[in-house]
Amino acid sequence: MSDLLKDKIAMVTGASRGIGAAIAKRLANEGAKVAINYNSSKEQALQVLSAVQEVSEGMLVQGDVSVQADAEKVLSQVIENWGKIDILVNNAGINRDKLLMRMDASDWDDVMNVNLRGTFLCTKLVLPYLIKQRQGNIVNVSSVVGLSGNPGQVNYAASKAGLVGFTKALAREVASRNITVNALAPGFITSGGMVDELSSDAKETILKKIPMGRFGTVDEVAECCLFLCSDQSSYITGQVITMDGGMIA
Ligand code: NAP
């Protein structure tokens, strides 16, 4: 443990498992106090909390990021507990994969609501605190799919491409206030979710497209997120960092 983020307060959305959980633990390991947001996976979120509490302070904040009242409740709990916030990682995300011809409007709306509207709501609530203290870092978890597209994922790809535009526009709005806004675009990451559930044939096919010949890990994503949340990246804003083993290079 070291103290790159000593005295910082961070909130990570969708931190009950996978990439969000790894980010929450990595930030805590550098001294940040971390609010762990989740929607329904309380048991898993409790495990993340106990890992965070081994090295720093943590709290659970339950809420659906796409619902304004929930996002407001979540942030007010953080402020009530710690009095401020410095870092927001918009990581909560879902997919509802189908070819466009079979996709319902609800598949579209669900993905847009969590991935894009959730990011909008949480960011809008956190921003006044960052502006007031003239300091802060926002990291949005996009995806290579938002840059390259992928069949069966028009909704997901559109939401992740939306996050790229959101990141770049907001970075320009708040740069003069010493607030950085960046995005991560991970490729195929073994997060315990979709990638791990693929058949071995499907995994083989994908691996052939990755120059490094392997999937990424949640810890690799968390490491890059830490960089974007720390003073080590103080002159970097409006960027999208692709981490995909060279896949779309
Ligand atoms: P995951 O294992 O499915 O975890 C998703 C997290 O988001 C869970 O903690 C879940 O919490 C939370 N969540 C879902 N809906 C929510 C909502 N409405 N409000 C609050 N939290 C919500 O996903 P992952 O693989 O770690 O991916 C994390 C992020 O990285 C996502 O944005 C994903 O699109 C992006 N990404 C992943 C990959 C990859 O290969 N894994 C690649 C590129 C980008 P609950 O279970 O409590 O609902």
Side-chain angles (χ1 to χ4, degrees):
M1 183 187 155
S2 67
D3 59 0
L4 218 48
L5 301 181
K6 189 169 176 283
D7 299 327
K8 301 284 186 187
I9 308 295
M11 177 161 89
V12 184
T13 69
S16 56
R17 58 174 188 266
I19 291 171
I23 291 172
K25 290 186 241 179
R26 190 67 189 94
L27 301 188
N29 226 18
E30 291 294 334
K33 297 175 185 170
V34 183
I36 297 151
N37 162 254
Y38 69 100
N39 186 26
S40 53
S41 307
K42 188 173 182 188
E43 284 308 310
Q44 285 169 290
L46 279 167
Q47 287 174 20
V48 180
L49 177 64
S50 92
V52 162
Q53 286 176 330
E54 279 174 26
V55 290
S56 182
E57 284 182 42
M59 66 185 287
L60 287 190
V61 282
Q62 188 281 330
D64 179 340
V65 291
S66 68
V67 175
Q68 180 149 1
D70 280 21
E72 286 169 358
K73 174 192 75 177
V74 160
L75 185 69
S76 67
Q77 286 171 347
V78 176
I79 299 299
E80 210 168 283
N81 205 24
W82 289 320
K84 66 162 188 157
I85 184 158
D86 305 287
I87 294 165
L88 170 66
V89 181
N90 287 305
N91 165 80
I94 60 167
N95 60 302
R96 298 274 184 273
D97 298 352
K98 275 172 204 164
L99 294 173
L100 179 88
M101 292 299 286
R102 295 194 188 131
M103 191 174 284
D104 299 328
S106 64
D107 299 319
W108 176 270
D109 291 342
D110 288 351
V111 169
M112 287 297 162
N113 281 339
V114 177
N115 299 9
L116 210 42
R117 179 182 156 88
T119 295
F120 163 74
L121 289 175
C122 292
T123 305
K124 189 169 157 63
L125 288 163
V126 165
L127 206 53
Y129 294 93
L130 306 189
I131 289 173
K132 200 168 167 209
Q133 67 199 18
R134 290 193 158 263
Q135 176 270 321
N137 309 95
I138 296 170
V139 178
N140 300 317
V141 183
S142 177
S143 165
V144 286
V145 165
L147 304 172
S148 66
N150 200 27
Q153 292 196 307
V154 293
N155 50 358
Y156 184 78
S159 74
K160 295 299 186 179
L163 285 179
V164 171
F166 178 95
T167 299
K168 288 179 178 288
L170 184 64
R172 288 177 185 272
E173 286 186 19
V174 298
S176 65
R177 312 300 172 99
N178 198 30
I179 297 165
T180 68
V181 189
N182 291 292
L184 294 174
F188 287 94
I189 308 297
T190 49
S191 66
M194 200 180 75
V195 173
D196 305 74
E197 285 156 16
L198 291 169
S199 68
S200 47
D201 280 357
K203 281 185 185 162
E204 276 307 308
T205 309
I206 293 166
L207 283 172
K208 281 185 191 139
K209 294 181 186 158
I210 305 175
M212 281 191 175
R214 66 171 179 85
F215 298 122
T217 68
V218 293
D219 290 337
E220 287 172 319
V221 180
E223 202 60 38
C224 193
C225 187
L226 166 65
F227 172 67
L228 294 175
C229 294
S230 75
D231 286 345
Q232 293 186 325
S233 61
S234 50
Y235 201 51
I236 298 177
T237 195
Q239 301 305 304
V240 182
I241 302 199
T242 302
M243 27 194 341
D244 64 352
M247 200 169 59
I248 64 159

